[in-house]
PDB file of all heavy atoms in Angstrom:
ATOM      1  N   LEU A  63     -21.553  -0.497  21.826  1.00 93.00           N
ATOM      2  CA  LEU A  63     -22.567   0.447  21.354  1.00 93.00           C
ATOM      3  C   LEU A  63     -23.900  -0.262  21.093  1.00 93.00           C
ATOM      4  O   LEU A  63     -24.966   0.277  21.383  1.00 93.00           O
ATOM      5  CB  LEU A  63     -22.086   1.154  20.087  1.00 93.00           C
ATOM      6  CG  LEU A  63     -20.930   2.143  20.248  1.00 93.00           C
ATOM      7  CD1 LEU A  63     -20.459   2.642  18.890  1.00 93.00           C
ATOM      8  CD2 LEU A  63     -21.340   3.317  21.121  1.00 93.00           C
ATOM      9  N   VAL A  74     -24.649   2.044  14.385  1.00 93.00           N
ATOM     10  CA  VAL A  74     -23.303   1.844  14.936  1.00 93.00           C
ATOM     11  C   VAL A  74     -22.268   1.848  13.821  1.00 93.00           C
ATOM     12  O   VAL A  74     -21.201   2.466  13.942  1.00 93.00           O
ATOM     13  CB  VAL A  74     -23.240   0.527  15.730  1.00 93.00           C
ATOM     14  CG1 VAL A  74     -21.785   0.156  16.047  1.00 93.00           C
ATOM     15  CG2 VAL A  74     -24.036   0.641  17.010  1.00 93.00           C
ATOM     16  N   PRO A  85      -9.080  -0.061  11.893  1.00 92.00           N
ATOM     17  CA  PRO A  85      -7.768  -0.699  12.074  1.00 92.00           C
ATOM     18  C   PRO A  85      -6.896  -0.417  10.857  1.00 92.00           C
ATOM     19  O   PRO A  85      -7.383   0.014   9.814  1.00 92.00           O
ATOM     20  CB  PRO A  85      -8.117  -2.187  12.191  1.00 92.00           C
ATOM     21  CG  PRO A  85      -9.399  -2.322  11.433  1.00 92.00           C
ATOM     22  CD  PRO A  85     -10.154  -1.024  11.630  1.00 92.00           C
ATOM     23  N   GLU A  90       7.293   0.220   6.999  1.00 95.00           N
ATOM     24  CA  GLU A  90       8.207   1.351   6.862  1.00 95.00           C
ATOM     25  C   GLU A  90       9.628   0.847   6.665  1.00 95.00           C
ATOM     26  O   GLU A  90      10.031  -0.155   7.270  1.00 95.00           O
ATOM     27  CB  GLU A  90       8.141   2.237   8.114  1.00 95.00           C
ATOM     28  CG  GLU A  90       9.021   3.480   8.031  1.00 95.00           C
ATOM     29  CD  GLU A  90       8.820   4.410   9.227  1.00 95.00           C
ATOM     30  OE1 GLU A  90       8.270   3.936  10.252  1.00 95.00           O
ATOM     31  OE2 GLU A  90       9.191   5.587   9.143  1.00 95.00           O
ATOM     32  N   GLN A 110      13.071   0.544  -9.070  1.00 98.00           N
ATOM     33  CA  GLN A 110      13.487  -0.213  -7.897  1.00 98.00           C
ATOM     34  C   GLN A 110      12.313  -0.460  -6.953  1.00 98.00           C
ATOM     35  O   GLN A 110      11.615   0.469  -6.549  1.00 98.00           O
ATOM     36  CB  GLN A 110      14.595   0.523  -7.146  1.00 98.00           C
ATOM     37  CG  GLN A 110      15.184  -0.293  -6.002  1.00 98.00           C
ATOM     38  CD  GLN A 110      16.319   0.439  -5.308  1.00 98.00           C
ATOM     39  OE1 GLN A 110      16.353   0.545  -4.088  1.00 98.00           O
ATOM     40  NE2 GLN A 110      17.270   0.955  -6.084  1.00 98.00           N
ATOM     41  N   LYS A 132      11.641  -7.490  -0.125  1.00 94.00           N
ATOM     42  CA  LYS A 132      12.168  -8.390  -1.144  1.00 94.00           C
ATOM     43  C   LYS A 132      11.342  -8.312  -2.424  1.00 94.00           C
ATOM     44  O   LYS A 132      10.116  -8.370  -2.397  1.00 94.00           O
ATOM     45  CB  LYS A 132      12.169  -9.834  -0.622  1.00 94.00           C
ATOM     46  CG  LYS A 132      12.774 -10.843  -1.594  1.00 94.00           C
ATOM     47  CD  LYS A 132      12.752 -12.241  -0.985  1.00 94.00           C
ATOM     48  CE  LYS A 132      13.333 -13.264  -1.947  1.00 94.00           C
ATOM     49  NZ  LYS A 132      13.316 -14.627  -1.344  1.00 94.00           N
ATOM     50  N   SER A 147     -12.372 -16.894   1.898  1.00 88.00           N
ATOM     51  CA  SER A 147     -11.134 -17.673   1.974  1.00 88.00           C
ATOM     52  C   SER A 147     -10.152 -17.041   2.955  1.00 88.00           C
ATOM     53  O   SER A 147      -9.464 -17.751   3.700  1.00 88.00           O
ATOM     54  CB  SER A 147     -10.493 -17.773   0.587  1.00 88.00           C
ATOM     55  OG  SER A 147     -11.299 -18.494  -0.303  1.00 88.00           O
ATOM     56  N   LEU A 159     -16.980  -6.713   3.877  1.00 79.00           N
ATOM     57  CA  LEU A 159     -17.250  -5.693   2.880  1.00 79.00           C
ATOM     58  C   LEU A 159     -16.502  -6.008   1.584  1.00 79.00           C
ATOM     59  O   LEU A 159     -15.343  -6.443   1.622  1.00 79.00           O
ATOM     60  CB  LEU A 159     -16.845  -4.315   3.391  1.00 79.00           C
ATOM     61  CG  LEU A 159     -17.613  -3.777   4.607  1.00 79.00           C
ATOM     62  CD1 LEU A 159     -17.007  -2.450   5.063  1.00 79.00           C
ATOM     63  CD2 LEU A 159     -19.082  -3.578   4.257  1.00 79.00           C
ATOM     64  N   THR A 169       4.138   8.222   3.306  1.00 98.00           N
ATOM     65  CA  THR A 169       5.054   9.228   3.845  1.00 98.00           C
ATOM     66  C   THR A 169       6.446   8.928   3.299  1.00 98.00           C
ATOM     67  O   THR A 169       7.038   7.897   3.628  1.00 98.00           O
ATOM     68  CB  THR A 169       5.068   9.213   5.376  1.00 98.00           C
ATOM     69  OG1 THR A 169       3.732   9.376   5.870  1.00 98.00           O
ATOM     70  CG2 THR A 169       5.931  10.355   5.919  1.00 98.00           C
ATOM     71  N   GLN A 175      19.025  14.721  -7.315  1.00 96.00           N
ATOM     72  CA  GLN A 175      20.461  15.006  -7.243  1.00 96.00           C
ATOM     73  C   GLN A 175      20.768  16.461  -6.902  1.00 96.00           C
ATOM     74  O   GLN A 175      21.919  16.806  -6.626  1.00 96.00           O
ATOM     75  CB  GLN A 175      21.137  14.619  -8.559  1.00 96.00           C
ATOM     76  CG  GLN A 175      20.743  15.474  -9.768  1.00 96.00           C
ATOM     77  CD  GLN A 175      19.372  15.126 -10.325  1.00 96.00           C
ATOM     78  OE1 GLN A 175      18.787  14.115  -9.963  1.00 96.00           O
ATOM     79  NE2 GLN A 175      18.861  15.984 -11.193  1.00 96.00           N
ATOM     80  N   ASP A 225      -1.620 -27.310  -2.837  1.00 43.00           N
ATOM     81  CA  ASP A 225      -2.239 -25.988  -2.822  1.00 43.00           C
ATOM     82  C   ASP A 225      -3.042 -25.733  -4.095  1.00 43.00           C
ATOM     83  O   ASP A 225      -3.367 -24.615  -4.421  1.00 43.00           O
ATOM     84  CB  ASP A 225      -1.177 -24.902  -2.651  1.00 43.00           C
ATOM     85  CG  ASP A 225      -0.142 -24.933  -3.757  1.00 43.00           C
ATOM     86  OD1 ASP A 225      -0.117 -25.901  -4.526  1.00 43.00           O
ATOM     87  OD2 ASP A 225       0.643 -23.975  -3.817  1.00 43.00           O
ATOM     88  N   ASP A 228      -8.721 -29.541  -6.603  1.00 43.00           N
ATOM     89  CA  ASP A 228      -9.714 -29.418  -7.671  1.00 43.00           C
ATOM     90  C   ASP A 228     -10.975 -28.728  -7.188  1.00 43.00           C
ATOM     91  O   ASP A 228     -11.705 -28.129  -7.974  1.00 43.00           O
ATOM     92  CB  ASP A 228     -10.065 -30.805  -8.228  1.00 43.00           C
ATOM     93  CG  ASP A 228      -8.902 -31.429  -8.980  1.00 43.00           C
ATOM     94  OD1 ASP A 228      -8.046 -30.659  -9.454  1.00 43.00           O
ATOM     95  OD2 ASP A 228      -8.856 -32.665  -9.060  1.00 43.00           O
ATOM     96  N   ASP A 230     -12.718 -25.809  -5.762  1.00 50.00           N
ATOM     97  CA  ASP A 230     -12.424 -24.401  -5.541  1.00 50.00           C
ATOM     98  C   ASP A 230     -12.742 -23.970  -4.121  1.00 50.00           C
ATOM     99  O   ASP A 230     -12.085 -23.093  -3.570  1.00 50.00           O
ATOM    100  CB  ASP A 230     -13.211 -23.531  -6.532  1.00 50.00           C
ATOM    101  CG  ASP A 230     -12.626 -23.606  -7.930  1.00 50.00           C
ATOM    102  OD1 ASP A 230     -11.515 -24.143  -8.055  1.00 50.00           O
ATOM    103  OD2 ASP A 230     -13.290 -23.139  -8.881  1.00 50.00           O
ATOM    104  N   GLN A 232     -12.266 -25.522  -1.472  1.00 59.00           N
ATOM    105  CA  GLN A 232     -11.236 -25.942  -0.532  1.00 59.00           C
ATOM    106  C   GLN A 232      -9.940 -25.144  -0.687  1.00 59.00           C
ATOM    107  O   GLN A 232      -9.068 -25.217   0.163  1.00 59.00           O
ATOM    108  CB  GLN A 232     -10.933 -27.440  -0.734  1.00 59.00           C
ATOM    109  CG  GLN A 232     -12.120 -28.345  -0.474  1.00 59.00           C
ATOM    110  CD  GLN A 232     -12.641 -28.204   0.940  1.00 59.00           C
ATOM    111  OE1 GLN A 232     -11.866 -28.138   1.889  1.00 59.00           O
ATOM    112  NE2 GLN A 232     -13.961 -28.155   1.084  1.00 59.00           N
ATOM    113  N   LEU A 264       8.121   4.452 -19.839  1.00 97.00           N
ATOM    114  CA  LEU A 264       9.108   5.523 -19.688  1.00 97.00           C
ATOM    115  C   LEU A 264       8.600   6.674 -18.822  1.00 97.00           C
ATOM    116  O   LEU A 264       9.250   7.044 -17.840  1.00 97.00           O
ATOM    117  CB  LEU A 264       9.536   6.041 -21.061  1.00 97.00           C
ATOM    118  CG  LEU A 264      10.567   7.176 -21.058  1.00 97.00           C
ATOM    119  CD1 LEU A 264      11.907   6.681 -20.520  1.00 97.00           C
ATOM    120  CD2 LEU A 264      10.736   7.742 -22.465  1.00 97.00           C
ATOM    121  N   CYS A 274       6.541  13.028  -6.888  1.00 98.00           N
ATOM    122  CA  CYS A 274       7.855  13.214  -7.499  1.00 98.00           C
ATOM    123  C   CYS A 274       8.662  14.183  -6.641  1.00 98.00           C
ATOM    124  O   CYS A 274       8.123  14.870  -5.763  1.00 98.00           O
ATOM    125  CB  CYS A 274       7.737  13.708  -8.936  1.00 98.00           C
ATOM    126  SG  CYS A 274       7.003  15.334  -9.136  1.00 98.00           S
ATOM    127  N   ALA A 303      -6.520  18.421 -12.138  1.00 95.00           N
ATOM    128  CA  ALA A 303      -5.313  17.660 -12.457  1.00 95.00           C
ATOM    129  C   ALA A 303      -4.068  18.526 -12.315  1.00 95.00           C
ATOM    130  O   ALA A 303      -3.028  18.068 -11.819  1.00 95.00           O
ATOM    131  CB  ALA A 303      -5.410  17.096 -13.873  1.00 95.00           C
ATOM    132  N   GLU A 319     -10.033   5.672  -6.818  1.00 97.00           N
ATOM    133  CA  GLU A 319     -10.230   4.371  -7.465  1.00 97.00           C
ATOM    134  C   GLU A 319      -9.289   3.303  -6.915  1.00 97.00           C
ATOM    135  O   GLU A 319      -9.700   2.164  -6.672  1.00 97.00           O
ATOM    136  CB  GLU A 319     -10.047   4.507  -8.973  1.00 97.00           C
ATOM    137  CG  GLU A 319     -10.311   3.230  -9.745  1.00 97.00           C
ATOM    138  CD  GLU A 319     -10.246   3.433 -11.253  1.00 97.00           C
ATOM    139  OE1 GLU A 319     -10.723   4.477 -11.730  1.00 97.00           O
ATOM    140  OE2 GLU A 319      -9.719   2.539 -11.933  1.00 97.00           O
ATOM    141  N   ARG A 322     -10.609   2.214  -3.439  1.00 97.00           N
ATOM    142  CA  ARG A 322     -11.894   1.498  -3.501  1.00 97.00           C
ATOM    143  C   ARG A 322     -11.761   0.102  -4.107  1.00 97.00           C
ATOM    144  O   ARG A 322     -12.531  -0.801  -3.779  1.00 97.00           O
ATOM    145  CB  ARG A 322     -12.912   2.304  -4.299  1.00 97.00           C
ATOM    146  CG  ARG A 322     -13.443   3.527  -3.572  1.00 97.00           C
ATOM    147  CD  ARG A 322     -14.665   4.096  -4.275  1.00 97.00           C
ATOM    148  NE  ARG A 322     -14.362   4.564  -5.614  1.00 97.00           N
ATOM    149  CZ  ARG A 322     -13.946   5.791  -5.910  1.00 97.00           C
ATOM    150  NH1 ARG A 322     -13.767   6.674  -4.934  1.00 97.00           N
ATOM    151  NH2 ARG A 322     -13.702   6.155  -7.156  1.00 97.00           N
ATOM    152  N   ILE A 326      -9.677  -7.580   0.597  1.00 91.00           N
ATOM    153  CA  ILE A 326      -9.003  -8.196   1.734  1.00 91.00           C
ATOM    154  C   ILE A 326      -7.858  -9.067   1.214  1.00 91.00           C
ATOM    155  O   ILE A 326      -8.014  -9.824   0.257  1.00 91.00           O
ATOM    156  CB  ILE A 326     -10.002  -9.046   2.549  1.00 91.00           C
ATOM    157  CG1 ILE A 326     -10.878  -8.143   3.405  1.00 91.00           C
ATOM    158  CG2 ILE A 326      -9.271 -10.030   3.449  1.00 91.00           C
ATOM    159  CD1 ILE A 326     -10.111  -7.399   4.490  1.00 91.00           C
ATOM    160  N   TRP A 333       7.334   1.682  -5.528  1.00 98.00           N
ATOM    161  CA  TRP A 333       8.485   1.593  -6.425  1.00 98.00           C
ATOM    162  C   TRP A 333       9.141   2.970  -6.546  1.00 98.00           C
ATOM    163  O   TRP A 333       8.450   3.980  -6.676  1.00 98.00           O
ATOM    164  CB  TRP A 333       8.048   1.132  -7.808  1.00 98.00           C
ATOM    165  CG  TRP A 333       7.529  -0.278  -7.866  1.00 98.00           C
ATOM    166  CD1 TRP A 333       6.312  -0.726  -7.430  1.00 98.00           C
ATOM    167  CD2 TRP A 333       8.221  -1.418  -8.395  1.00 98.00           C
ATOM    168  NE1 TRP A 333       6.192  -2.076  -7.655  1.00 98.00           N
ATOM    169  CE2 TRP A 333       7.342  -2.531  -8.253  1.00 98.00           C
ATOM    170  CE3 TRP A 333       9.468  -1.614  -8.980  1.00 98.00           C
ATOM    171  CZ2 TRP A 333       7.687  -3.816  -8.671  1.00 98.00           C
ATOM    172  CZ3 TRP A 333       9.816  -2.888  -9.400  1.00 98.00           C
ATOM    173  CH2 TRP A 333       8.938  -3.972  -9.237  1.00 98.00           C
ATOM    174  N   ASN A 343      17.377   9.436  -7.774  1.00 98.00           N
ATOM    175  CA  ASN A 343      16.338   9.484  -6.750  1.00 98.00           C
ATOM    176  C   ASN A 343      16.958   9.034  -5.428  1.00 98.00           C
ATOM    177  O   ASN A 343      17.272   7.851  -5.256  1.00 98.00           O
ATOM    178  CB  ASN A 343      15.170   8.572  -7.142  1.00 98.00           C
ATOM    179  CG  ASN A 343      13.929   8.819  -6.314  1.00 98.00           C
ATOM    180  OD1 ASN A 343      13.962   9.497  -5.296  1.00 98.00           O
ATOM    181  ND2 ASN A 343      12.818   8.248  -6.748  1.00 98.00           N
TER     182      ASN A 343
END
Side-chain angles (χ1 to χ4, degrees):
L63 291 173
V74 168
E90 183 174 18
Q110 187 178 131
K132 183 179 179 180
S147 295
L159 296 175
T169 305
Q175 67 283 348
D225 59 349
D228 292 336
D230 286 348
Q232 298 301 317
L264 180 67
C274 64
E319 183 175 321
R322 287 193 297 271
I326 283 294
W333 293 75
N343 194 347

